[in-house]
Amino acid sequence: SYVLTQPPSVSVAPGQTTRLTCGGNNIENRGVHWYQQKPGQAPVLVVYNEGDRPSGIPERFSGSNSGNTATLIISRVEAGDEADYYCQVWDTSTQLVVFGGGTKLTVL
Amino acid sequence: EVQLVESGGDLVQPGGSLRLSCAASGFTLSTYDMNWVRQGPGKGLEWVSYISIRSTTIYYADSVKGRFTISRDNAKNSLYLQMDSLRAEDTAVYYCAREHLTANAFDIWGQGTLVTVSS
């Protein structure tokens, strides 16, 4: 089955740019979606198909996808961005949805 | 307001059954494919099941196949998850999630309902 690998934790200072990675075999050939989840809340879609944003999501959130790594880029990080972030794909070979293990983003 | 509201979570003994419901409001359920996603205590997100608009296509995670049944009633704007032969490892918050119209992404989530399987 398809596996998505995310680093467990990342730290960043306010105002900086952070890049959260999601590794998968030939992931560049797949649509990758990213979710933000704050404690006690449901996940929120922040980026889909690598770089599209749902309405209401700030332009500070963007994405890229190349080779075996997809990346969620958060610019001008704010304290309110502190959350868990999950990547997700649809595995067409097995018809299953796959989530990465999640990255806990800490804003210093 | 576009909203999903889950209900039906409870404490149940191992081997027991439970039926979760998800009520949609602010949009027409019959326009969207739908999913269930769960999250165990302190764990990450785990996809559970998918159902297409007219229920013609259904998928399950291997961990629940043969035990869980997804269904929907578009006339009632509702999604369901029948859970049988429950195990301790099924303990989780269960979310219903709407699938984006043009991507296999989940653009609207409910607030979740807690299922606890314990004796």
Side-chain angles (χ1 to χ4, degrees):
Chain A
S1 61
Y2 195 74
V3 176
L4 295 176
T5 302
Q6 298 183 250
S9 62
V10 169
S11 298
V12 62
Q16 298 301 303
T17 295
T18 189
R19 292 170 174 79
L20 307 183
T21 60
C22 175
N25 188 37
N26 292 323
I27 198 172
E28 66 178 354
N29 296 325
R30 302 171 184 268
V32 181
H33 320 300
W34 291 89
Y35 302 88
Q36 176 193 71
Q37 185 180 34
K38 297 180 179 180
Q41 298 183 19
V44 173
L45 180 66
V46 293
V47 167
Y48 64 98
N49 288 342
E50 287 81 60
D52 293 330
R53 283 182 308 277
S55 61
I57 301 301
E59 291 183 4
R60 301 185 297 105
F61 290 83
S62 62
S64 66
N65 191 2
S66 178
N68 295 320
T69 304
T71 304
L72 175 67
I73 304 163
I74 309 175
S75 305
R76 302 182 300 282
V77 169
E78 302 174 355
D81 298 333
E82 188 163 284
D84 294 326
Y85 289 84
Y86 296 90
C87 58
Q88 175 247 314
V89 300
W90 173 259
D91 183 8
T92 54
S93 63
T94 59
Q95 303 300 336
L96 300 177
V97 172
V98 180
F99 284 100
T103 295
K104 180 177 181 59
L105 177 66
T106 299
V107 181
L108 300 171
Chain B
E1 179 189 6
V2 173
Q3 197 173 357
L4 293 169
V5 178
E6 302 93 338
S7 60
D10 204 347
L11 170 64
V12 61
Q13 292 189 342
S17 297
L18 209 56
R19 188 193 196 209
L20 305 183
S21 299
C22 171
S25 59
F27 69 99
T28 304
L29 189 73
S30 60
T31 308
Y32 294 88
D33 298 333
M34 296 294 295
N35 291 262
W36 287 97
V37 178
R38 69 184 181 183
Q39 187 169 34
K43 296 186 178 180
L45 302 174
E46 180 188 12
W47 172 78
V48 172
S49 184
Y50 159 93
I51 187 168
S52 62
I53 290 172
R54 295 183 181 83
S55 305
T56 52
T57 301
I58 288 173
Y59 301 120
Y60 297 99
D62 290 342
S63 58
V64 306
K65 195 176 297 182
R67 301 187 299 120
F68 289 12
T69 303
I70 191 172
S71 63
R72 63 193 296 164
D73 186 336
N74 290 336
K76 294 184 178 179
N77 244 22
S78 293
L79 175 73
Y80 306 101
L81 186 67
Q82 176 67 40
M83 303 186 295
D84 298 320
S85 303
L86 283 162
R87 306 166 180 168
E89 54 265 36
D90 295 319
T91 295
V93 174
Y94 284 73
Y95 297 99
C96 61
R98 189 182 82 173
E99 196 155 314
H100 191 280
L101 282 175
T102 60
N104 296 119
F106 307 139
D107 63 351
I108 300 295
W109 296 65
Q111 86 290 348
T113 188
L114 177 62
V115 173
T116 303
V117 184
S118 174
S119 54

